[in-house]
Amino acid sequence: MAKTAVLIGATGLVGNELLHKLLSSEYYSKVVTLSRRDLAISHVKLVNHVIDFDKLTQYSELIKGDAFFSCLGTTLKQAGSVAEQRKVDFDYQFIAAQLAANNNIPHYCLVSSSGANAHSRSAYLKMKGALEVQVKQLNFSKCSIFQPSLLLGERKQFRAAEKIGSYIFPVITMLPFLKRYKPITGKQVAQKMHTVSIEQQAAFCIFTLISIFLYTRSI
């Protein structure tokens, strides 16, 4: 049976890798993306809608399918303030999740963060944790949350801290008590998301860094 994937955040590191994975997948026959601008890719499976995320509720009819992948994310520097970062990392994603649930999309897949905690002192980890808490309460048949650490890969925007971390973290995380901070590539996360969207049977799963690395085969 033909399956449709819906994706937001297709221009980000994980989202872009996931988009290519979905387009090459034999499982999904259609990939719907919602983005702020046209994607620099065309494909027979791809249907891209350029939207205003501040008016997400107006695009409810576009969010229909078999799996919804939420890969949105920004940095404090890019956003300009914690409030603006929260719009992307919490508000947009939660509204989109609500629309997906209301449209009876059965499987929801969220890219969160290692250390996400609704009670964290870190504003970033707090908003990530709060989003996890909220989406768990929506009526998806299946919900999958992925918590990677530092993400490695080619980004369109240069991030100095992440570039430095990409050299340092692989070395220091060889220490046993720091393994949970081991960097992971956007491609590895995308591959795991694709596999989970096909194979998961449980109603709810959280994939921490270790379980993402346990990815062993591609579908």
Side-chain angles (χ1 to χ4, degrees):
M1 183 181 295
K3 300 290 184 180
T4 296
V6 183
L7 168 65
I8 57 173
T11 59
L13 180 58
V14 174
N16 184 58
E17 292 284 1
L18 180 58
L19 174 59
H20 285 83
K21 188 67 181 176
L22 294 172
L23 292 176
S24 64
S25 172
E26 294 182 0
Y27 187 77
Y28 293 102
S29 60
K30 182 179 180 181
V31 180
V32 177
T33 56
L34 281 67
S35 61
R36 289 179 173 176
R37 59 184 182 277
D38 287 322
L39 301 182
I41 182 176
S42 60
H43 193 281
V44 66
K45 289 186 182 180
L46 178 62
V47 179
N48 178 235
H49 299 284
V50 177
I51 69 167
D52 180 351
F53 277 84
D54 286 322
K55 301 176 181 178
L56 255 174
T57 55
Q58 297 183 12
Y59 305 97
S60 175
E61 290 301 308
L62 304 180
I63 305 178
K64 292 183 177 181
D66 300 283
F68 183 86
F69 299 90
S70 189
C71 302
L72 279 180
T74 188
T75 64
L76 181 59
K77 182 178 180 180
Q78 289 176 320
S81 69
V82 172
E84 288 300 308
Q85 185 180 26
R86 183 179 173 83
K87 284 178 63 176
V88 176
D89 282 79
F90 180 85
D91 295 346
Y92 292 162
Q93 296 197 81
F94 183 52
I95 293 172
Q98 288 178 306
L99 297 175
N102 291 340
N103 286 339
N104 298 313
I105 292 182
H107 197 166
Y108 175 78
C109 299
L110 171 68
V111 178
S112 184
S113 173
S114 178
N117 187 325
H119 304 290
S120 175
R121 292 183 179 181
S122 162
Y124 176 75
L125 295 179
K126 185 175 183 178
M127 65 182 75
K128 289 294 187 183
L131 180 60
E132 289 187 8
V133 171
Q134 293 298 317
V135 298
K136 287 178 190 176
Q137 300 176 27
L138 299 177
N139 63 329
F140 292 107
S141 298
K142 300 176 186 176
C143 180
S144 309
I145 295 177
F146 302 82
Q147 297 178 332
S149 59
L150 177 67
L151 290 165
L152 303 180
E154 294 298 321
R155 295 184 185 272
K156 293 182 179 180
Q157 298 87 14
F158 177 73
R159 298 182 180 181
E162 291 184 359
K163 191 66 174 180
I164 295 171
S166 69
Y167 293 109
I168 296 175
F169 273 69
V171 178
I172 65 174
T173 52
M174 293 176 68
L175 299 172
F177 61 93
L178 290 176
K179 283 186 177 181
R180 66 192 182 104
Y181 299 107
K182 184 179 180 181
I184 187 170
T185 66
K187 185 175 183 178
Q188 284 175 300
V189 179
Q191 288 177 326
K192 186 69 174 183
M193 294 180 76
H194 174 255
T195 300
V196 166
S197 74
I198 298 171
E199 296 185 346
Q200 181 174 317
Q201 299 298 317
F204 177 73
C205 289
I206 289 183
F207 296 90
T208 59
L209 180 65
I210 297 301
S211 59
I212 294 175
F213 269 117
L214 290 178
Y215 170 84
T216 57
R217 63 194 179 93
S218 176
I219 292 181

